[in-house]
Amino acid sequence: MTTVQKIKEIEDEMARTQKNKATSYHLGLLKAKLAKLRRELLTSAGTSGGGGGGPGFDVARTGIASVGFPSVGKPSAMQSTLMSKLTGTHSEVAAYEFTTLTSVPGTLRLHGSPIQIIDLPGIIEGAKDGRGRGRQVIAVARTCNLIFIVLDVLKPLHDKQILENELEGFGIRLNKKPPNITVRKKDKGGIAITNTVPLTNIDHEEIKAVLSEYRLANCDVAIREPGCTADDLVDVIEGNRVYIPCIYVRCFPLIPSNPKPMSTRF
């Protein structure tokens, strides 16, 4: 069974399992197993090193910061138009999906300082699990200082959900801060859990299940932030998450009668 098949199997089991006190330990185990499998995919996509995932995707970094423009299908043409206007760099634009097939860098000067803009190829649903070249594209997005998502006004929520899900599955946390959770290993003494706020979305059994999957039999866990979940605990233990600010922009595609390059209104 492949890693992707194992991920699908665990996701299906989690979807079938109703969360309650009796199942919290089991769900904690599943979430930890899922994170470890996703780490395998993340590692395999990042073995090429540098800023991405292979020929056509690696980008030499310039400027004081980099901004990634990921998209789902047709909005890729819209963001290519925006990038051309901002940087003067030509990025292929047409009235069909997946126009951009490689990473296209450009430079925007703001108050005299260069900022790199990277137009990324469109991401398809399931990219985080290996469909298409999505993992290579997302590997580039992980190295950016800002994510700029251009949404088609006709289907903004649909595309937004796909992008967030794909980026989330690849360890990118948009507009979030690292959870205020600490996990300290020790030589003996078992597991000690302390919290300075009420635990509303996780309980001790779920915490122990996650620690068990990671073979952490002796450690101190401290939770100092309300609303923390088992996923937050997994993120802290994994230690390979990236927290990137994100800006969303909705735009109107203006499709001409003849199927030539399309124009876009922002």
Side-chain angles (χ1 to χ4, degrees), residues 69-82:
F69 278 35
S71 68
V72 178
K74 195 169 291 184
S76 177
M78 301 176 194
Q79 73 186 29
S80 299
T81 301
L82 177 59

Side-chain angles (χ1 to χ4, degrees), residues 5 19 36 43 51 55 61 107 113 121 166 168 171 177 179 184 188-189 193 249 258:
Q5 290 172 330
K19 184 173 182 178
K36 291 168 71 175
T43 303
R61 292 310 156 91
T107 302
S113 299
E166 298 303 321
E168 183 90 6
K177 295 181 179 179
R184 292 191 178 90
K188 57 184 179 179
I193 302 172
V249 175
N258 62 14

Side-chain angles (χ1 to χ4, degrees), residues 179-182 184 194-197 199 221-226 228:
N180 195 350
I181 300 175
T182 57
R184 292 191 178 90
T194 60
N195 53 285
T196 59
V197 295
L199 301 181
V221 179
I223 300 177
R224 305 183 184 88
E225 182 180 351
C228 285

Side-chain angles (χ1 to χ4, degrees), residues 185-191 217-220:
K185 298 179 184 179
K186 55 187 181 181
D187 295 329
K188 57 184 179 179
I191 296 172
N218 298 287
C219 64
D220 294 327

Side-chain angles (χ1 to χ4, degrees), residues 74-151:
K74 195 169 291 184
S76 177
M78 301 176 194
Q79 73 186 29
S80 299
T81 301
L82 177 59
M83 177 178 174
S84 297
K85 292 180 180 293
L86 290 175
T87 67
T89 300
H90 175 71
S91 186
E92 191 68 30
V93 179
Y96 49 83
E97 298 188 351
F98 304 108
T99 311
T100 304
L101 298 177
T102 61
S103 299
V104 180
T107 302
L108 167 68
R109 291 200 168 270
L110 183 64
H111 304 303
S113 299
I115 298 176
Q116 186 178 51
I117 309 293
I118 307 173
D119 188 10
L120 298 171
I123 296 172
I124 61 176
E125 193 166 6
K128 67 180 184 299
D129 297 326
R131 290 190 62 196
R133 301 295 298 275
R135 282 191 288 157
Q136 289 88 337
V137 177
I138 299 174
V140 178
R142 279 180 61 91
T143 66
C144 293
N145 303 105
L146 173 69
I147 299 294
F148 195 97
I149 296 179
V150 180
L151 299 170

Side-chain angles (χ1 to χ4, degrees), residues 158-234:
H158 174 265
D159 288 349
K160 180 175 182 287
Q161 184 177 13
I162 290 177
L163 274 172
E164 289 178 342
N165 184 49
E166 298 303 321
L167 296 175
E168 183 90 6
F170 218 72
I172 297 176
R173 304 294 180 257
L174 299 178
N175 293 331
K176 294 181 180 178
K177 295 181 179 179
N180 195 350
I181 300 175
T182 57
V183 178
R184 292 191 178 90
K185 298 179 184 179
K186 55 187 181 181
D187 295 329
K188 57 184 179 179
I191 296 172
I193 302 172
T194 60
N195 53 285
T196 59
V197 295
L199 301 181
T200 56
N201 296 322
I202 189 173
D203 57 30
H204 283 213
E205 288 301 308
E206 203 166 3
I207 293 172
K208 291 176 181 177
V210 171
L211 297 176
S212 173
E213 179 62 28
Y214 284 97
R215 302 183 184 278
L216 295 173
N218 298 287
C219 64
D220 294 327
V221 179
I223 300 177
R224 305 183 184 88
E225 182 180 351
C228 285
T229 65
D231 293 320
D232 292 327
L233 177 60
V234 168

Side-chain angles (χ1 to χ4, degrees), residues 42-55 57-61 136 139-140 143:
L42 180 65
T43 303
S44 64
T47 51
S48 61
F57 295 91
D58 290 318
V59 176
R61 292 310 156 91
Q136 289 88 337
V140 178
T143 66

